[in-house]
């Protein structure tokens, strides 16, 4: 995988691709083997997408549910502010072809979409392998695609109907190889980009902006990320565009280093960087920060010199006469207003997060339904090949599911704030009840049929899950 | 339209260098309208998303830059204050008072700027949410939920650090300011005078905007925020400054 570790050396990328399209294939089986269980589960979830299809007015919507699925289900948690690097995992398997001015084919991104969940369990890997998907360049009409959207990815591009297959890996690898070659042939042609891109549906997944932001609260924490994402920009390998997020702790280190080097004027970016010993901190980060630091310091210093005069002349006369307690009071009022504003902003933000969390929760419930159906199918058809299963999934209308199958009811105790922790339990329970129950299947979005006695029993069972 | 107007007012009241860093709400709205009338093709959506991404990137860049400066300044204010306090203990009353006055002013303004940055984040988020909602409504898409997902994780929306700095600043202020006296009338007069200052003015405008935005909308739903409850509504009322710039 190292060969795909692009540090802004265009030739390497393309040549490696040219010569060996197979590495991609090598990668996939590796992943598949190691993550089979997780992947299967994910793909099953993804297979719910076609079920939703008839209900979606916009075909493009399909992509959203797909993208949503991994997000929701990968941890089976409703994790509102999960600081996971889930979203950063999109990056790894998308190559950076910015140098070639070529963008990624939609299918490649599709691959990354399905790939995404598997990456959750490989945080280290993903930290290393940081790509900068350049599909955006083709999408936008901006002439200077160089910097504008180079950090943004749009991964989840759908290909309705194809996604359900669990053995789509091979399909994808084929597609990807194809597209790689195509891309490399068409390097530097924007038309081919647009051609490729416009054939796909775009779903905004996760911003690799996230990748480029480096949250260095502590050294070596996420700093690997920043290092690799450093040359996030395009062709010229211009100075690292990745933004550093400076925290007070980091700044403290910086100041210490500067002091050691004899002050802000004497200190050089190189020296400071060395002293700080923060992984992933590039010289450009330090340089710009040092610049800011210098200008900030300059102001009070100059004022310090002036203040001795001004204080005596102007300030004494005007301040004391005009201000005194008055100004203090006025300042107090100002602070009051500001405090209030801040408080309200915090509250508002919490509310917004909660709202979105709730929205996700609802979405998850929605998908769990379908997922349940898929699980039944899967467990019922254990021995069948995945293709057959997916075909089944495609063709079978839920209403027609034979009696042996069952889906879990979506009915929960009203107002149950079922925490995400319930979901795994539910799924387990589900498997347990597999052969026993005959729960009437719930049609996605459709009306609920009255539960049979059996299902009511199950319903009770489910709701008996301790709510958290 | 309401939000658009409010946003415009906010932008006008904001510090000059911030003005072009806000959400291009009007333009995005136009685009949504355009897309809804023509076909909502995948590529149109893709372009729309790209634009949104660009906006988000704009926010992130600006936000992080400001954040960085605040981090630097915060340390500075602290140091400066300590230094001055140490120095000025000796000199006469006059010098000391003047210095302290200056320090206080600086700290208060610093506090204000940080709060305004949080407000910046909030208002842009709100704008994005609204635009997405409009988009979904007009094109029948489902862009909102997943997109907002990603937005929630963006640097510009994760304002924890700034909030922390604000709180630390408030603690600093407690130390710098003498015990409060109850001089309500004088307060209000002085407050009005102070309100002319851009930061303060901006903060007032922000609070008012927030209040009005949340008063109630025609499309109140699951995703709407409840009305704003201010602990001290009179304060805000007394500070309402008629805008010199007519809002269209």
């Amino acid at each position: 995988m190292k060969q795909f570790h692009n540090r802004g050396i265009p030739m390497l990328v393309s040549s490696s691709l040219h010569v060996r399209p197979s590495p991609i294939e090598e990668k996939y089986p590796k992943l598949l083997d190691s993550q089979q269980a997780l992947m299967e589960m994910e793909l099953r979830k993804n297979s719910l997408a076609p079920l939703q299809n008839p209900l979606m007015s916009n075909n493009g919507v399909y992509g959203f549910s797909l993208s949503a699925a991994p997000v929701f289900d990968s941890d089976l948690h409703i994790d509102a502010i999960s600081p996971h690097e889930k979203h950063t995992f999109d990056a790894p398997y998308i190559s950076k072809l910015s140098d070639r001015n070529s963008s990624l084919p939609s299918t490649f991104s599709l691959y990354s979409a399905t790939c995404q969940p598997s990456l959750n369990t490989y945080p280290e890997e993903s930290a290393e392998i940081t790509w900068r998907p350049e599909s955006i360049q083709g999408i936008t009409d901006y002439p200077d695609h160089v910097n504008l959207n180079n950090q943004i990815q749009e991964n989840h591009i759908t290909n309705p109907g194809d996604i359900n297959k669990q053995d789509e890996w091979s399909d994808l690898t084929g597609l990807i190889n194809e597209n790689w070659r195509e891309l490399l042939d068409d390097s530097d042609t924007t038309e081919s980009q647009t051609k490729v891109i416009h054939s796909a549906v775009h779903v905004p997944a996760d911003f690799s902006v996230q990748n480029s932001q480096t949250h260095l609260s502590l050294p070596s924490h996420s700093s690997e990320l920043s290092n690799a994402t450093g040359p996030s920009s395009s062709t010229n390998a211009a100075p690292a565009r990745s933004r550093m997020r400076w925290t007070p702790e980091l700044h403290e280190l910086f100041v210490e280093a500067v002091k050691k080097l004899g002050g802000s004027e004497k200190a050089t970016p190189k020296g400071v960087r060395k002293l700080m010993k923060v992984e992933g901190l590039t010289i450009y980060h330090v340089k710009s920060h040092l610049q800011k630091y210098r200008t900030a310091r300059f102001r009070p210093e100059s004022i310090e010199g002036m203040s001795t005069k001004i204080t005596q002349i102007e300030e004494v006369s005007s301040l004391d006469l005009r201000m005194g307690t008055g100004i203090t009071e006025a300042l107090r009022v100002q602070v009051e207003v500001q405090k209030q504003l801040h408080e309200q902003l915090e509250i508002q933000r919490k509310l917004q997060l909660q709202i979105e969390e709730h929205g996700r929760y609802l979405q998850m419930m929605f998908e769990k339904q379908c997922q349940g159906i898929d699980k039944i199918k899967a467990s019922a058809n254990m021995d069948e090949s995945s293709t057959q299963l997916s075909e089944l999934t495609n063709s079978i209308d839920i209403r027609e599911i034979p009696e042996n199958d069952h889906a879990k009811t979506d009915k929960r105790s009203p107002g149950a704030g079922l925490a995400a922790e319930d979901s795994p339990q539910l799924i387990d329970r589900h498997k347990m009840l597999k052969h026993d129950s005959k729960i009437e299947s719930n049609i996605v979005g459709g009306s609920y049929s009255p539960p049979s006695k059996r299902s009511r029993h199950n319903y009770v069972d489910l709701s008996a899950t301790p709510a958290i | 339209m309401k939000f658009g107007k409010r946003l415009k007012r906010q932008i006008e009241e904001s510090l000059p260098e911030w003005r072009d860093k806000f959400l291009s709400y009007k333009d995005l709205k136009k685009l949504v309208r355009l897309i809804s009338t023509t076909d909502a093709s995948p590529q149109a959506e893709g372009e729309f998303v790209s634009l949104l991404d660009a906006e988000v990137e704009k926010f992130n860049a600006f936000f992080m830059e400001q954040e960085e400066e605040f981090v630097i300044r915060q340390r500075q204010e602290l140091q400066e204050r300590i230094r001055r306090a140490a120095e000025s203990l000796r000199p006469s009353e006059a010098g000391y008072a003047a210095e302290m006055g200056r320090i206080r002013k600086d700290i208060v303004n610093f506090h204000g700027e940080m709060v305004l940055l949080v407000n910046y984040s909030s208002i842009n988020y709100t704008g994005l949410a609204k635009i997405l909602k409009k988009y979904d409504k007009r094109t029948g898409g489902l862009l909102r939920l997943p997109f907002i997902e990603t937005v929630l994780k963006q640097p510009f929306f994760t304002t924890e650090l700034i909030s922390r700095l604000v709180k630390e600043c408030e603690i600093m202020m407690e130390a710098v300011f003498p015990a409060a006296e109850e001089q309500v009338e004088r307060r209000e007069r002085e407050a009005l005078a102070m309100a002319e200052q851009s930061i303060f003015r901006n903060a007032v405008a922000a609070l008012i905007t927030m209040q009005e935005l949340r008063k109630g909308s025609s499309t109140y739903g699951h995703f709407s925020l409840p009305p704003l409850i201010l602990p001290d509504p009179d304060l805000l009322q007394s500070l309402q400054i008629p805008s010199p710039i007519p809002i269209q």
Side-chain angles (χ1 to χ4, degrees):
Chain A
M1 292 201 191
K2 291 277 182 176
Q3 59 206 314
F4 288 91
H5 195 165
N6 193 338
R7 291 200 174 249
I9 308 170
M11 295 314 292
L12 264 181
V13 175
S14 43
S15 59
S16 70
L17 288 168
H18 248 307
V19 169
R20 304 183 55 204
S22 47
I24 303 168
E25 288 177 281
E26 280 171 26
K27 261 201 287 180
Y28 302 164
K30 215 199 292 178
L31 269 174
L32 190 58
D33 291 342
S34 49
Q35 313 256 18
Q36 198 135 27
L38 187 56
M39 276 310 301
E40 277 178 19
M41 197 157 74
E42 288 301 332
L43 286 166
R44 262 182 229 132
K45 287 171 203 162
N46 292 344
S47 65
L48 67 83
L51 298 174
Q52 296 172 350
N53 233 343
L55 302 169
M56 310 291 196
S57 51
N58 187 2
N59 210 20
V61 158
Y62 181 90
F64 299 129
S65 53
L66 174 64
S67 72
V71 174
F72 297 151
D73 294 330
S74 51
D75 280 351
L76 301 174
H77 278 300
I78 306 168
D79 219 349
I81 319 170
S82 85
H84 288 333
E85 288 91 29
K86 260 190 246 177
H87 295 288
T88 66
F89 296 169
D90 289 330
Y93 289 89
I94 302 176
S95 81
K96 173 181 141 188
L97 298 173
S98 53
D99 42 289
R100 293 299 202 140
N101 280 345
S102 54
S103 53
L104 295 164
S106 50
T107 48
F108 198 70
S109 309
L110 162 66
Y111 152 64
S112 85
T114 54
C115 200
Q116 182 189 27
S118 65
L119 298 172
N120 278 337
T121 63
Y122 281 69
E124 299 91 6
E125 261 185 86
S126 65
E128 277 179 63
I129 307 161
T130 47
W131 292 88
R132 205 103 323 250
E134 293 305 319
S135 52
I136 313 309
Q137 293 188 2
I139 295 165
T140 63
D141 298 327
Y142 301 147
D144 57 328
H145 53 258
V146 171
N147 302 325
L148 256 176
N149 295 314
N150 59 2
Q151 294 169 343
I152 302 159
Q153 8 172 343
E154 293 178 352
N155 301 336
H156 302 271
I157 300 171
T158 67
N159 207 345
D162 290 345
I163 300 174
N164 311 316
K165 303 182 179 148
Q166 284 186 358
D167 63 342
E168 68 201 41
W169 290 106
S170 45
D171 293 337
L172 281 165
T173 48
L175 272 166
I176 287 156
N177 289 337
E178 238 177 67
N179 285 309
W180 273 120
R181 287 190 211 104
E182 191 185 283
L183 275 171
L184 295 165
D185 290 338
D186 292 346
S187 67
D188 246 343
T189 54
T190 33
E191 306 97 66
S192 65
Q193 293 174 37
T194 49
K195 218 193 324 171
V196 166
I197 299 302
H198 288 175
S199 64
V201 174
H202 301 294
V203 176
D206 323 304
F207 296 133
S208 65
V209 163
Q210 189 75 13
N211 290 338
S212 64
Q213 319 310 351
T214 51
H215 235 293
L216 294 177
S217 50
L218 287 167
S220 80
H221 186 58
S222 54
S223 45
E224 288 100 21
L225 264 177
S226 80
N227 207 8
T229 64
S232 62
S233 58
S234 59
T235 57
N236 323 329
R241 296 277 171 174
S242 72
R243 290 210 159 261
M244 168 73 74
R245 210 164 179 194
W246 285 89
T247 63
E249 293 81 18
L250 206 56
H251 182 65
E252 196 63 33
L253 283 171
F254 172 85
V255 172
E256 286 304 315
V258 165
K259 272 191 193 158
K260 281 185 195 160
L261 292 172
S264 60
E265 293 300 317
K266 281 189 185 166
T268 65
K270 199 172 179 182
V272 171
R273 178 166 165 257
K274 261 190 182 165
L275 270 178
M276 280 178 75
K277 285 183 226 145
V278 172
E279 262 188 73
L281 188 65
T282 72
I283 197 155
Y284 301 107
H285 294 148
V286 179
K287 203 171 174 189
S288 73
H289 194 73
L290 185 63
Q291 207 170 27
K292 287 201 168 98
Y293 185 68
R294 279 182 184 149
T295 43
R297 289 215 95 191
F298 188 66
R299 218 174 31 96
E301 274 164 14
S302 64
I303 289 173
E304 225 183 289
M306 295 201 308
S307 69
T308 48
K309 296 172 195 168
I310 293 173
T311 315
Q312 283 149 23
I313 300 167
E314 288 183 41
E315 290 196 23
V316 170
S317 51
S318 61
L319 276 177
D320 276 358
L321 289 174
R322 208 158 38 93
M323 301 190 176
T325 48
I327 208 65
T328 314
E329 284 312 307
L331 285 175
R332 239 184 261 281
V333 173
Q334 182 174 349
V335 175
E336 268 315 302
V337 171
Q338 285 166 189
K339 271 187 179 169
Q340 270 193 36
L341 178 57
H342 184 238
E343 196 182 317
Q344 292 305 318
L345 284 167
E346 284 195 301
I347 294 170
Q348 183 163 302
R349 183 160 178 270
K350 285 201 183 87
L351 281 174
Q352 282 165 339
L353 286 167
Q354 275 178 19
I355 284 171
E356 292 306 325
E357 187 178 342
H358 184 72
R360 274 204 301 284
Y361 171 74
L362 291 173
Q363 178 88 358
M364 205 193 81
M365 301 311 302
F366 180 71
E367 282 163 10
K368 282 261 170 281
Q369 256 186 322
C370 311
Q371 177 205 354
I373 295 163
D374 297 339
K375 280 211 170 298
I376 299 150
K377 285 192 205 149
S379 52
N381 305 318
M382 271 303 185
D383 296 324
E384 292 186 27
S385 71
S386 50
T387 4
Q388 276 183 295
L389 175 62
S390 44
E391 277 172 11
L392 260 177
T393 319
N394 270 335
S395 55
I396 292 177
D397 182 22
I398 303 173
R399 287 181 198 268
E400 294 169 4
I401 292 173
E403 293 172 0
N404 286 340
D405 294 347
H406 65 289
K408 74 179 185 273
T409 57
D410 194 43
K411 286 191 181 172
R412 306 194 180 274
S413 30
L418 277 178
E421 290 90 301
D422 285 335
S423 0
Q425 300 176 25
L426 288 166
I427 291 169
D428 291 339
R429 228 171 247 281
H430 212 47
K431 285 186 182 146
M432 267 167 30
L433 303 166
K434 179 169 64 168
H435 296 297
D436 303 335
S437 61
K438 285 187 194 180
I439 306 172
E440 300 219 15
S441 50
N442 275 316
I443 297 119
V444 168
S447 56
Y448 298 118
S449 25
S452 63
K453 215 172 186 182
R454 233 354 136 97
S455 61
R456 217 175 286 131
H457 163 76
N458 290 326
Y459 163 59
V460 168
D461 247 13
L462 293 172
S463 65
T465 314
I468 295 161
Chain B
M1 222 356 136
K2 243 174 56 173
F3 177 79
K5 276 195 191 150
R6 309 235 175 272
L7 178 65
K8 200 168 176 186
R9 182 203 279 182
Q10 263 286 267
I11 294 175
E12 280 156 5
E13 300 273 3
S14 63
L15 304 164
E17 56 267 20
W18 292 37
R19 295 212 182 124
D20 60 343
K21 303 285 194 274
F22 283 86
L23 182 69
S24 320
Y25 186 72
K26 218 169 185 179
D27 296 332
L28 283 169
K29 218 166 56 160
K30 282 184 194 158
L31 183 59
V32 169
R33 214 172 284 154
L34 187 70
I35 292 180
S36 66
T37 51
T38 61
D39 186 27
S41 61
Q43 74 192 64
E45 184 159 294
E47 285 174 20
F48 185 70
V49 167
S50 308
L51 277 179
L52 288 179
D53 287 343
E55 291 288 296
V56 170
E57 186 47 35
K58 182 173 76 176
F59 303 153
N60 282 336
F62 178 70
F63 186 87
M64 289 174 69
E65 200 173 315
Q66 289 295 314
E67 195 182 50
E68 186 178 344
E69 286 183 16
F70 288 150
V71 167
I72 295 174
R73 262 172 81 182
Q74 193 238 10
R75 201 178 177 285
Q76 195 120 61
E77 298 290 330
L78 203 59
Q79 277 188 336
E80 181 188 301
R81 205 212 101 206
I82 295 167
R83 221 187 312 135
R84 298 294 164 76
E87 283 171 17
S88 305
L89 273 174
R90 279 174 279 123
S92 63
E93 289 290 328
Y96 179 76
E99 268 308 310
M100 285 310 282
R102 202 177 65 76
I103 292 173
R104 281 190 203 123
K105 194 159 82 84
D106 285 345
I107 290 185
V108 168
N109 284 343
F110 178 58
H111 179 266
E113 277 191 62
M114 286 197 288
V115 173
L116 285 173
L117 189 65
V118 181
N119 178 60
Y120 165 87
S121 160
S122 170
I123 211 162
N124 283 323
Y125 174 82
T126 306
L128 273 179
K130 281 181 177 287
I131 279 286
L132 286 166
K133 192 172 164 188
K134 282 193 206 296
Y135 180 86
D136 280 356
K137 189 168 145 194
R138 291 211 176 222
T139 66
L142 273 192
L143 183 55
R144 206 194 84 91
L145 213 58
F147 197 92
I148 275 289
E149 279 298 296
T150 65
V151 172
L152 289 178
K153 297 189 170 69
Q154 292 302 308
F156 87 89
F157 192 69
T158 51
T159 54
E160 283 94 358
L161 177 59
I162 289 283
S163 287
R164 195 182 104 199
L165 289 179
V166 168
K167 298 232 170 69
E168 284 173 11
C169 194
E170 282 167 16
I171 295 169
M172 239 199 289
M173 287 192 292
E174 295 286 314
V176 180
F177 277 74
E181 300 162 32
E182 302 294 345
Q183 291 184 9
V184 183
E185 268 184 44
R186 189 137 178 231
R187 264 178 97 192
E188 284 181 3
R189 254 187 296 127
E190 297 289 349
L192 261 176
M194 286 294 286
E196 291 304 312
Q197 265 192 51
S198 58
I199 292 174
F200 187 33
R201 188 193 176 90
N202 196 356
V204 170
L207 254 182
I208 294 167
T209 301
M210 199 193 294
Q211 194 174 40
E212 286 175 344
L213 268 178
R214 283 169 57 171
K215 225 176 243 175
S217 78
S218 54
T219 55
Y220 198 76
H222 292 295
F223 292 95
S224 307
L225 291 167
L228 190 70
I229 302 168
L230 280 176
D232 186 5
D234 299 325
L235 174 67
L236 199 56
Q237 287 305 314
S238 66
L239 292 170
Q240 293 236 21
I241 311 151
S243 172
I245 308 159
I247 298 171
Q248 291 157 15

